[in-house]
Amino acid sequence: MERTLSIIKPDATRRSITGKINAMIEEAGLSIIAQKRIRLSVSQAEEFYGVHKERPFFKDLVEFITSGPVVVQVLEADNAIPLYRKTMGATNPSEAEEGTIRAAHAESIEANSVHGSDSAENAVIEINFFFDQDEIVG
């Protein structure tokens, strides 16, 4: 079994579609084994997205992710990382396949409703950023 981090972003929580996204996650065969609704501080967001610090979109990314509550989750399945990435769809919702979370719910490239880990190494780092081990119930 593999684990990945999911973040349901402020554009989705603002529209109260967390349940719809969770249903799509579970229908894809992923188990939600930890979940909490939080509001990231600017310093937390800057730390989490630190890898993008030199990119021109960094400030906008931090501003967006701190603009409202998010739902952070640990998902588990065989091949959870590629499975969730397929379930999310392309970052640009206009390029996302029909039936994916972003095709169904994203508003734009930035307000694309969800984040998912892009590698096993980053999944461990990202999960540990948001969760203590005793919060994860597999």
Side-chain angles (χ1 to χ4, degrees):
M1 285 296 218
E2 184 176 64
R3 292 178 176 175
T4 190
L5 181 84
S6 167
I7 301 175
I8 301 177
K9 295 180 179 181
D11 63 295
T13 61
R14 174 178 38 79
R15 292 178 287 143
S16 298
I17 58 172
T18 301
K20 290 178 181 179
I21 292 172
N22 280 348
M24 294 177 81
I25 288 169
E26 292 179 331
E27 287 166 11
L30 293 144
S31 296
I32 301 168
I33 61 169
Q35 177 173 264
K36 58 187 171 183
R37 184 180 176 101
I38 62 172
R39 182 132 191 186
L40 287 169
S41 68
V42 170
S43 63
Q44 286 172 312
E46 288 174 344
E47 182 181 347
F48 183 75
Y49 287 116
V51 67
H52 300 301
K53 194 168 190 112
E54 302 306 318
R55 295 267 181 77
F57 59 81
F58 178 74
K59 183 177 179 259
D60 290 339
L61 182 61
V62 169
E63 190 173 300
F64 169 66
I65 204 71
T66 59
S67 68
V70 298
V71 176
V72 292
Q73 305 170 309
V74 180
L75 309 180
E76 187 175 70
D78 288 330
N79 299 309
I81 295 165
L83 178 57
Y84 188 47
R85 294 191 70 73
K86 182 176 193 270
T87 303
M88 288 190 302
T91 303
N92 182 343
S94 67
E95 297 172 3
E97 284 186 40
E98 193 67 32
T100 63
I101 293 169
R102 288 175 174 153
H105 299 297
E107 296 179 319
S108 67
I109 291 176
E110 182 181 78
N112 61 20
S113 298
V114 288
H115 162 88
S117 304
D118 62 2
S119 68
E121 299 77 28
N122 283 338
V124 171
I125 292 165
E126 292 178 351
I127 289 167
N128 289 335
F129 186 88
F130 290 108
F131 292 93
D132 293 328
Q133 286 307 304
D134 65 349
E135 294 178 295
I136 302 170
V137 184

